[in-house]
């Protein structure tokens, strides 16, 4: 039996991955809690057996097989044996086995691709990155599997219910440049939302103080606090009679319906959904606002009508302007 007292410091520069992504999924990291320490097999079995969204076949023998295949490692890639004693604070890395998921009946289409980036039209009902119960039915995992590129990574995120333009980087060495571009708010983003038409004076600026607690599916607009979100509304126009009639029937709502063109300056979680509810009307198909619907009520035929239709920025590598639009 080996005794591990590892407390590794992070190396300077870009960290290496103890286990590379596999089949579209990155490895998970777990840390041994405070206490007397624990045998590696006992610790990992506890982690896997208490996982909320676990594959039914991921039993104790499957956990043992990970150790046998050297697929449980330390930060420095040293394989961990099942009988190793892990000290508190030790990080180990392994691959989770996600539970089966209901397939999302929409495809991802490519809008643009070069050696550095991939721009796609993400459909509704696909999360951008794996999270909670949505692991394999996500844009990132689907695209990594279809392109065989395990380094493919989103530079920004779209809500699971939101469709439209999503930019991904194709290599780790360019990832930071594009992610920083979005983090610094240097990307002009355009969204279209369809909702009951309200009388608005446009162009307009919507500013609110928005809050959303981690783990809470819904956020809120808090009045009388300094705004932390800003959106420019460039237009709000009625849909054509044909499109309006189709959506009124599909969503069982009353007309008139409008198309709101929104330019978010900030990127708060659920920003456009909350601001539409506060200033105009809830977006068609929104399963959280104004009323949170149970997960089992989700209907793939009724997507939320919020779509990212434009991205424009100065490319961080070439210095040239880039612009992508959807009809």
């Amino acid at each position: 039996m080996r005794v591990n007292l590892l407390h590794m410091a992070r190396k300077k520069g870009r960290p290496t991955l103890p286990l590379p992504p596999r089949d579209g999924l990155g490895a998970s990291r777990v840390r041994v809690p405070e206490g007397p320490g624990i045998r590696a097999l006992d610790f990992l079995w506890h982690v896997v057996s208490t996982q909320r969204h676990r594959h039914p076949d991921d039993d104790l023998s499957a956990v043992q097989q990970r150790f046998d295949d050297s697929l449980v490692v330390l930060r420095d890639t040293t394989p961990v044996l099942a009988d190793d004693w892990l000290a508190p604070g030790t990080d180990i890395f392994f691959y989770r086995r996600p539970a089966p998921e209901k397939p999302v009946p929409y495809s991802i289409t490519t809008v643009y691709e070069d050696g550095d980036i991939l721009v796609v039209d993400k459909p509704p009902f696909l999360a951008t990155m794996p999270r909670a119960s949505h692991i394999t039915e996500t844009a990132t995992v689907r695209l990594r599997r279809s392109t065989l590129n395990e380094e493919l990574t989103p530079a920004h995120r779209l809500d699971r219910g939101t469709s439209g333009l999503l930019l991904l980087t194709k290599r780790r060495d360019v990832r930071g440049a594009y992610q920083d571009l979005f983090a610094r708010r240097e990307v002009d983003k355009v969204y279209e939302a369809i909702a009951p038409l309200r009388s608005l004076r446009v162009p307009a600026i919507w500013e609110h103080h928005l809050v959303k607690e981690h783990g809470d599916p819904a956020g809120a607009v808090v009045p009388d606090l300094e705004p932390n979100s800003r959106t420019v509304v460039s237009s709000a126009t009625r849909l054509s009679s044909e499109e309006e009639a189709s959506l009124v029937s599909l969503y069982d709502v009353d007309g008139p319906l409008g198309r709101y063109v929104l330019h978010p300056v900030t990127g708060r979680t659920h920003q456009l959904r909350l601001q539409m509810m506060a200033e105009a009307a809830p977006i068609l198909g929104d399963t959280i606002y104004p009323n949170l619907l149970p997960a089992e009520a989700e209907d793939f035929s009724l997507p939320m009508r919020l779509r990212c239709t434009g991205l424009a920025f100065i490319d961080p590598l070439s210095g040239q302007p880039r612009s992508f639009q959807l009809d």
Side-chain angles (χ1 to χ4, degrees):
M1 179 184 296
R2 295 180 298 171
V3 177
N4 169 38
L5 300 176
L6 180 69
H7 292 280
M8 294 288 291
R10 289 182 179 271
K11 296 181 179 179
K12 292 183 179 180
R14 186 180 297 277
T16 57
L17 298 174
L19 287 173
R22 187 181 69 172
D23 198 25
L25 293 169
S28 295
R29 183 193 73 176
V30 289
R31 177 168 293 176
V32 178
E34 292 299 320
I38 188 171
R39 189 171 71 120
L41 178 60
D42 296 335
F43 175 57
L44 191 56
W45 171 237
H46 171 75
V47 171
V48 169
S49 63
T50 58
Q51 182 179 335
R52 184 177 179 186
H53 305 289
R54 175 171 64 98
H55 196 285
D57 295 335
D58 202 2
D59 55 15
L60 182 59
S61 64
V63 173
Q64 176 67 58
Q65 192 63 49
R66 289 178 173 88
F67 289 100
D68 296 342
D69 295 339
S70 298
L71 293 178
V72 184
V73 303
L74 301 175
R75 187 181 293 279
D76 66 355
T77 74
T78 300
V80 178
L81 302 181
D83 285 331
D84 281 351
W85 192 259
L86 301 179
T90 301
D91 289 335
I92 64 171
F93 298 78
F94 74 103
Y95 295 111
R96 293 183 186 267
R97 188 175 179 185
E101 298 175 42
K102 186 177 181 180
V104 174
Y106 294 96
S107 60
I108 305 172
T109 58
T110 297
V111 175
Y112 173 84
E113 182 175 8
D114 62 24
D116 299 318
I117 63 173
L118 173 66
V119 181
V120 301
D121 182 358
K122 184 191 84 68
F125 301 107
L126 277 184
T128 299
M129 294 283 288
R131 184 182 180 188
S133 62
H134 306 294
I135 306 298
T136 57
E137 286 300 291
T138 59
T140 299
V141 173
R142 274 201 189 182
L143 287 167
R144 283 179 176 175
R145 290 177 173 181
S146 65
T147 63
L148 302 181
N149 181 357
E150 298 287 3
E151 294 190 8
L152 200 64
T153 303
H156 61 117
R157 297 195 182 200
L158 294 178
D159 285 348
R160 180 172 175 268
T162 304
S163 62
L165 292 170
L166 179 68
L167 186 150
L168 304 98
T169 59
K170 298 175 67 175
R171 306 193 318 275
R172 291 186 69 219
D173 59 340
V174 302
R175 184 182 305 166
Y178 288 95
Q179 289 179 338
D180 289 347
L181 197 69
F182 282 87
R184 295 193 301 264
R185 303 176 185 171
E186 294 176 1
V187 179
D188 180 23
K189 296 174 285 187
V190 182
Y191 287 74
E192 291 186 359
I194 295 178
L197 184 62
R198 299 291 185 259
S199 179
L200 297 178
R201 182 174 296 177
V202 292
I205 297 176
W206 291 345
E207 293 182 311
H208 304 85
H209 188 95
L210 307 180
V211 296
K212 185 179 181 301
E213 299 297 332
H214 180 71
D216 190 338
V221 177
V222 181
D224 303 323
L225 290 181
E226 183 176 352
N228 59 6
S229 64
R230 180 182 177 93
T231 297
V232 177
V233 186
S234 60
S235 65
T237 57
R238 187 168 183 174
L239 300 183
S240 68
S241 57
E242 181 178 0
E243 185 177 9
E244 181 176 276
S246 174
L247 292 177
V248 163
S249 174
L250 181 63
Y251 288 88
D252 191 24
V253 295
D254 295 327
L257 300 179
R259 176 175 287 104
Y260 299 78
V261 178
L262 311 170
H263 304 257
V265 178
T266 56
R268 311 292 298 188
T269 301
H270 293 182
Q271 175 173 318
L272 299 181
R273 299 163 73 172
L274 283 163
Q275 291 185 316
M276 279 291 297
M277 182 177 65
E279 297 287 348
I283 300 169
L284 288 190
D286 195 328
T287 59
I288 297 180
Y289 307 104
N291 300 310
L292 177 63
L293 300 181
E296 56 270 20
E298 184 173 77
D299 186 342
F300 288 147
S301 69
L302 298 173
M304 182 172 66
R305 297 289 169 163
L306 178 62
R307 184 165 174 78
C308 179
T309 58
L311 294 175
F313 53 89
I314 301 299
D315 191 279
L317 304 182
S318 68
Q320 298 300 310
R322 307 289 291 272
S323 181
F324 305 100
Q325 290 90 28
L326 293 174
D327 295 332

